[in-house]
Amino acid sequence: MTADLLAPLDLAFWNIESDRHPMHLGALGVFSAHSPTAGAHAADLLAARAVAVPGLRMRIRDVWQPLAFGGAARETDPDFDPLNHVRLHAPTADFHAVAGRLMERPLERGRPPWEAHVLPGEDGVSFAVLFKFHHALADGLRALKLAAGVMDPLDLPERAPRSIEPPRPMLALPDVRRVPELVRGALSDVGRALDIGASVALSALGVSSSSALKSTPTGTRSIAGVDLDIDDVHRVRKAVGGTVNDVLIAVVAGALRRWLQERGDGTDGVAPRALIPVSKRRPRTATPQGNRLSGYLIRLPVDNPDPLARLDRVRTAMVRNKDAGPNRGAGAVALLADHVPALGHRLGGPLVGQAARLWFDILVTSVPLPGLGLRLGGDPLTAVYPLAPLAPGQSLAVAISTYRNQVHYGLVADASAVPDLDVLARAVTDEVDSLIAVCDR
């Protein structure tokens, strides 16, 4: 049985989890159904195909060996049963409401940490699948690859075979011939760590956020989805410049302003810190498991009443972050996990989780999806709402995907702290309409 040690960031995600803050990410995919029994057929297909996807058979177990003491490793589960992971639910008229309740439940840690929940629609012409993957098993791109493994096969040209790097050995010692190189690398890493630490400390100075973005953990979850036309986003981008992602982040800032104002909360001086994850995963990487993440940290200009000025501030902040690169600055704090020994992650995991509220106020992440249409049992996937985990003490996370000319926002909230998530969802649409109106003047 081959075991693969968890990288430090994977181990951090595994250890900061609690019952009230499960560390799984998710995606709610909505399909058009060819018949009322399409959901049940989809559940059968998912269970049958999961057996053939190696990443879905991987469980995580503790490691108490020298050089990895207190760590954890992925290994193939010899007792893997897909029926423990794929569940068919009763028909529902509200996919998001059911998915919100399912997102509350932590994954069972003794099994491969993923689930697929099939939700037939009461209308008989649609069904949804909620995928849940523990963040220690996969980041957004890796989760996408695992989910795609159980979709209908795509008719694509074959790629030339490539070599696969074998899993890292459990007890690897460095080659003595590489000691000088390793020393230089270690010194560089220390310098980078000090730079990131200083940036994190500076980012906390003069912070002005909103109490609506912080909460006492309740473990409850609600989710909402918003659909936008990508052509509308491009209209704004072409009129004012920047990138599509700049526009999508600025929309979040404007929606938060509208939401807070409708609540009667003040927005003067409110500029919450948004963590924007950045994938460091290279295409066709030889080590695809786990997380390859850094991040950017920006202030969302919620206090600015001008939509175009908000977009300009977001664009300027993103350009500054990109110029510095994903290895520096406060947003790259995830890279500090590499400097913590395995036992430190195990003992300090709860403290690290609680510290997230001091580092950032809201997560805003984008998950790229393939332009090709995906199907399950011949039924087309029509929408995908990505769902991010909530850090302890935080009440809201936003994930965004673009699929087949549509932008889908997945909003995840602590249901007790944010009982009006539908208001925020409506504000996202209103903000896009406002930007288009301003740009068309």
Side-chain angles (χ1 to χ4, degrees), residues 53-376:
V53 180
L56 297 180
R57 301 173 62 94
M58 303 299 285
R59 67 183 180 186
I60 296 175
R61 66 171 179 84
D62 294 337
V63 175
W64 299 103
Q65 298 181 16
L67 301 184
F69 191 77
R74 300 180 195 86
E75 65 179 12
T76 302
D77 183 357
D79 301 316
F80 175 70
D81 183 350
L83 296 182
N84 291 328
H85 302 266
V86 179
R87 288 113 191 230
L88 177 64
H89 294 259
T92 178
D94 192 338
F95 296 140
H96 288 90
V98 176
R101 293 191 292 271
L102 292 171
M103 285 294 288
E104 296 176 3
R105 306 176 187 175
L107 294 164
E108 187 167 333
R109 291 168 73 93
R111 295 173 177 163
W114 68 275
E115 292 174 352
H117 296 270
V118 181
L119 314 176
E122 282 186 353
D123 56 12
V125 297
S126 65
F127 66 91
V129 179
L130 172 67
F131 286 101
K132 294 168 55 177
F133 296 98
H134 199 286
H135 224 323
L137 180 69
D139 55 20
L141 291 178
R142 173 63 177 162
L144 172 63
K145 183 174 181 179
L146 291 173
V150 291
M151 296 290 106
D152 291 355
L154 294 174
D155 186 14
L156 297 175
E158 293 187 6
R159 289 177 178 170
R162 58 187 179 86
S163 60
I164 302 296
E165 182 179 312
R168 291 169 295 168
M170 295 284 293
L171 300 175
L173 293 175
D175 185 338
V176 294
R177 293 170 295 181
R178 297 185 60 232
V179 167
E181 175 188 341
L182 294 171
V183 170
R184 286 194 298 272
L187 291 175
S188 175
D189 287 347
V190 169
R192 184 177 64 182
L194 291 173
D195 173 77
I196 294 172
S199 298
V200 170
L202 289 173
S203 73
L205 298 178
V207 169
S208 180
S209 186
S210 169
S211 59
L213 298 177
K214 301 183 184 297
S215 67
T216 300
T218 67
T220 59
R221 293 290 181 271
S222 61
I223 70 173
V226 184
D227 304 316
L228 304 177
D229 192 321
I230 190 63
D231 290 339
D232 290 338
V233 178
H234 281 301
R235 284 173 65 186
V236 176
R237 179 190 62 79
K238 291 176 181 178
V240 300
T243 68
V244 166
N245 203 41
D246 294 340
V247 177
L248 298 178
I249 295 171
V251 166
V252 174
L256 289 174
R257 178 181 175 84
R258 293 170 181 273
W259 174 59
L260 292 174
Q261 289 178 330
E262 186 155 345
R263 279 183 155 212
D265 295 347
T267 57
D268 290 345
V270 174
R273 297 160 301 170
L275 175 64
I276 315 293
V278 176
S279 176
K280 299 189 70 180
R281 187 180 295 279
R282 293 177 296 177
R284 306 183 188 181
T285 177
T287 54
Q289 298 196 86
N291 290 267
R292 303 291 184 271
L293 292 174
S294 182
Y296 299 142
L297 196 69
I298 72 170
R299 296 289 183 91
L300 295 180
V302 173
D303 54 343
N304 196 310
D306 183 347
L308 292 184
R310 288 195 294 268
L311 176 51
D312 183 66
R313 284 173 58 178
V314 167
R315 182 173 59 241
T316 300
M318 288 299 289
V319 168
R320 185 167 55 247
N321 275 298
K322 291 173 184 176
D323 287 344
N327 296 326
R328 308 187 74 86
V333 73
L335 302 180
L336 296 181
D338 292 338
H339 301 271
V340 179
L343 188 59
H345 281 292
R346 181 175 296 273
L347 298 178
L351 293 177
V352 171
Q354 293 298 327
R357 71 171 74 189
L358 303 176
W359 168 33
F360 65 96
D361 303 301
I362 184 172
L363 177 74
V364 182
T365 183
S366 295
V367 182
L369 297 177
L372 297 172
L374 298 175
R375 293 176 176 269
L376 181 56

Side-chain angles (χ1 to χ4, degrees), residues 370-391:
L372 297 172
L374 298 175
R375 293 176 176 269
L376 181 56
D379 296 313
L381 176 66
T382 60
V384 183
Y385 302 95
L387 306 171
L390 285 181

